[in-house]
Amino acid sequence: MTQKEINAQDNVSEVRHFVLLGFSDLPNLQGFLSGAFSIIYLIILIGNGLIIIITRLDPALQRPMYFFLANFSSLEICYVSVTLPRMLFNLWTQKRNISMVGCAIQLCFFLMLGTTECFLLAVMSYDRYVAICHPLHYPLLMNPKKCAQLAAGSWLGGIPVQIGQTCQIFSLHFCNSNQIPHFFCDVGPILKLACGDTSAHEVSVYVVTMLFAAVPFILILASYSKIISTVLRWLPTAQGRTKAFSTCSSHLLVVVLFFGSGTITYLRPKSSHSAGTDKLLSLFYTLMTPMFNPLIYSLRNKDVIAALRKLLLKMW
């Protein structure tokens, strides 16, 4: 063990908490950011909440596709609630301290719900694959019991691994600095504060990311390649193809937004990381996707629009 590592371990007791720097480098925009993020949070809660309500109440939406959409909207509310309320609290109070336990809990839930999103997007693509490529077997393959099992697997599948990964990360010794140049506790910025060599932990993070993000993404690509092949082969008319693709386009757009920003954040070379870029990319998959999700699915889906109209008419 080198002298530097020994000294780092001697200083480990100095780090009792972390400081989330967030957007402290923009002191003149604190009020604007607070207002903007508050509005975004309300949009996410209301928009996704409406999706959940109409899929539960409207008989026309009692189908597997909308069952998974309701799960996805519930997930988006949970996902954004892990990071955004804390960020708003920091902006409102300018108190940026977070305990080590609080940081670990936030990271753990962030990782678990991120894994759930990857799995659920893959399940939703499988649902569209079965509906378009095997329509006669669809009621059998996507019966209520199977849908519930797929949803439960998506929610629970990543919990043991992500709890283990969080415990592994926070078993490290932290020294020299406790300042996290981010608006929430994320893996990369936390590992940078650890003493000694963290290469083994970084490899572990990459392996888990590949397992829980890359594999679902490959399954999504496989599903859509089959869908495209089937549509081009069996639906010769332009109208038929447009109708078939319209049921998938909303989901595919959400997939591109989420996986695109997430992949650039976690799988790009370490040398190209910067605090500003990481924060900007994180805003995309933590805020933009949950905010655009209701708009994407409602504006591109006639059944959802019709259900929303019915609900609004009843309310008024």
Side-chain angles (χ1 to χ4, degrees), residues 23-303:
F23 300 95
S24 58
D25 55 332
L26 302 170
N28 297 328
L29 294 177
Q30 298 297 294
F32 170 78
L33 291 173
S34 176
F37 289 137
S38 297
I39 293 170
I40 289 173
Y41 193 35
L42 283 175
I43 292 171
I44 292 170
L45 294 178
I46 294 170
N48 286 284
L50 283 173
I51 294 287
I52 296 168
I53 291 169
I54 62 172
T55 52
R56 295 280 300 212
L57 298 181
D58 197 300
L61 302 184
Q62 302 304 306
R63 288 181 274 164
M65 175 182 176
Y66 299 108
F67 169 75
F68 292 124
L69 178 57
N71 270 269
F72 191 70
S73 292
S74 301
L75 170 65
E76 296 290 54
I77 290 174
C78 296
Y79 190 52
V80 77
S81 295
V82 170
T83 57
L84 192 48
R86 178 75 205 195
M87 181 168 65
L88 289 173
F89 174 80
N90 292 347
L91 286 169
W92 291 336
T93 65
Q94 295 299 305
K95 296 177 181 178
R96 307 181 188 279
N97 288 3
I98 184 170
S99 68
M100 196 168 290
V101 172
C103 191
I105 290 172
Q106 186 185 56
L107 176 64
C108 188
F109 274 96
F110 176 77
L111 293 176
M112 289 191 298
L113 293 172
T115 300
T116 299
E117 183 146 356
C118 294
F119 287 171
L120 201 52
L121 286 171
V123 167
M124 292 169 77
S125 69
Y126 173 72
D127 170 69
R128 292 299 83 209
Y129 159 73
V130 176
I132 293 173
C133 300
H134 302 284
L136 297 178
H137 296 93
Y138 185 71
L140 179 64
L141 293 174
M142 300 303 291
N143 59 69
K145 182 179 179 182
K146 178 61 71 64
C147 290
Q149 289 173 342
L150 288 170
S154 298
W155 281 94
L156 303 175
I159 290 178
V161 174
Q162 298 298 9
I163 289 176
Q165 181 166 260
T166 303
C167 292
Q168 184 185 46
I169 290 170
F170 280 88
S171 67
L172 292 167
H173 299 302
F174 299 97
C175 55
N176 300 326
S177 175
N178 65 346
Q179 297 186 344
I180 299 175
H182 213 320
F183 58 85
F184 70 97
C185 294
D186 201 3
V187 175
I190 292 172
L191 285 178
K192 287 181 181 178
L193 302 182
C195 309
D197 184 15
T198 60
S199 56
H201 293 82
E202 290 170 9
V203 170
S204 173
V205 170
Y206 273 105
V207 170
V208 172
T209 302
M210 292 299 291
L211 180 64
F212 288 155
V215 172
F217 185 64
I218 290 169
L219 293 175
I220 292 169
L221 291 180
S223 296
Y224 276 103
S225 65
K226 286 283 188 180
I227 289 170
I228 292 169
S229 175
T230 300
V231 169
L232 294 178
R233 186 185 309 159
W234 299 108
L235 294 175
T237 64
Q239 186 177 3
R241 291 175 179 178
T242 301
K243 185 177 180 180
F245 285 132
S246 67
T247 64
C248 305
S249 57
S250 300
H251 175 251
L252 198 55
L253 185 55
V254 173
V255 167
V256 171
L257 283 172
F258 178 76
F259 279 101
S261 55
T263 299
I264 295 171
T265 301
Y266 289 101
L267 296 182
R268 77 185 193 275
K270 187 178 178 180
S271 58
S272 64
H273 280 247
S274 70
T277 305
D278 286 348
K279 281 188 285 189
L280 184 61
L281 289 169
S282 296
L283 284 174
F284 246 94
Y285 61 83
T286 58
L287 297 185
M288 295 299 105
T289 301
M291 184 175 71
F292 287 132
N293 170 44
L295 295 173
I296 291 169
Y297 279 105
S298 62
L299 293 177
R300 300 182 65 86
N301 190 301
K302 293 180 181 179
D303 293 334

Side-chain angles (χ1 to χ4, degrees), residues 1-12 173 175 195-198:
M1 184 178 292
T2 65
Q3 186 62 38
K4 182 179 179 181
E5 288 173 329
I6 292 171
N7 291 338
Q9 289 190 3
D10 288 342
N11 292 332
V12 73
H173 299 302
C175 55
C195 309
D197 184 15
T198 60

